């Protein structure tokens, strides 16, 4: 059994205007108004099987064609797919077709990966380090050197 959900903080003044199950247990769209802005929040839990993932991406793509120009579309979840193997995987993407469809979908819609815009990645062999972790490690190292203890 698969399930996706969208939760809101009780402190947020939100008015849900509609919900749509794009694919049972795999993709849920919630249209909501927050402080005068209209959002279409899409939560994804993509199948691990590549061919099933392609079917889901097609359903999401068809749904997105119905979104209004006044809506801010926010998609997130578990895509079970990578679009940048140099940052997201050790080894190759096992299903290149779904990775290509996901990349094309994002490009056609002009969508960006907010995580990629706000976090710097560095690969050291098989280890991937993000910039906030580097700052933390640097701070810990500096602190350890200063106090003479290893943390």
């Amino acid at each position: 059994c698969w399930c996706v959900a969208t939760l809101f903080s009780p402190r947020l003044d939100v008015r849900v205007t509609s919900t749509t199950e794009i694919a049972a247990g795999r993709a849920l769209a919630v249209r909501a108004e927050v402080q005068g802005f209209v959002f279409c929040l899409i939560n994804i839990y993509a199948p691990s099987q590549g061919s099933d993932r392609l079917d889901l991406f097609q359903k999401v793509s068809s749904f997105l064609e119905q979104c209004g120009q006044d809506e801010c579309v926010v998609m997130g979840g578990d895509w079970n797919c990578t679009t940048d193997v140099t940052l997201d995987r050790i080894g190759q993407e096992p299903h290149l077709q779904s990775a290509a469809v996901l990349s094309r979908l994002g490009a056609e819609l002009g969508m960006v990966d907010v995580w990629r815009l706000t976090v710097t990645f560095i690969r050291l062999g098989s280890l991937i380090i993000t910039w906030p972790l580097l700052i933390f490690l640097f701070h810990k190292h500096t602190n350890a050197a200063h106090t003479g203890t290893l943390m």
Side-chain angles (χ1 to χ4, degrees):
C1 177
W2 308 284
C3 183
V4 291
T6 302
L7 305 174
F8 296 99
S9 168
R11 295 183 304 244
L12 182 66
D13 183 20
V14 61
R15 185 173 72 85
V16 174
T17 58
S18 70
T19 59
T20 304
E21 191 173 46
I22 300 169
R26 294 290 188 179
L28 175 69
V30 176
R31 286 188 165 97
E33 291 181 18
V34 179
Q35 297 180 356
F37 293 97
V38 179
F39 291 90
C40 181
L41 309 169
I42 301 174
N43 196 342
I44 304 286
Y45 179 41
S48 57
Q49 188 71 18
S51 57
D52 295 338
R53 199 166 43 242
L54 282 174
D55 291 341
L56 175 66
F57 292 170
Q58 181 55 48
K59 289 177 183 175
V60 171
S61 179
S62 295
F63 176 83
L64 288 168
E65 291 173 6
Q66 305 167 21
C67 291
Q69 293 294 324
D70 63 332
E71 293 179 299
C72 176
V73 175
V74 179
M75 290 194 295
D78 183 351
W79 299 94
N80 268 321
C81 184
T82 57
T83 57
D84 187 338
V85 295
T86 62
L87 293 176
D88 300 326
R89 297 188 61 82
I90 298 171
Q92 289 298 312
E93 166 63 46
H95 195 256
L96 295 174
Q97 296 92 335
S98 55
V101 169
L102 181 58
S103 292
R104 188 175 63 245
L105 179 63
E108 286 172 357
L109 297 169
M111 300 190 93
V112 295
D113 185 338
V114 175
W115 181 256
R116 294 274 190 264
L117 292 177
T118 59
V119 177
T120 301
F121 295 84
I122 297 174
R123 181 182 277 275
L124 301 172
S126 62
L127 179 64
I128 297 174
I129 299 177
T130 62
W131 185 248
L133 181 58
L134 279 177
I135 292 171
F136 175 75
L137 289 174
F138 178 75
H139 175 71
K140 286 287 196 178
H141 175 71
T142 304
N143 192 26
H146 180 69
T147 61
T149 59
L150 184 60
M151 301 181 107

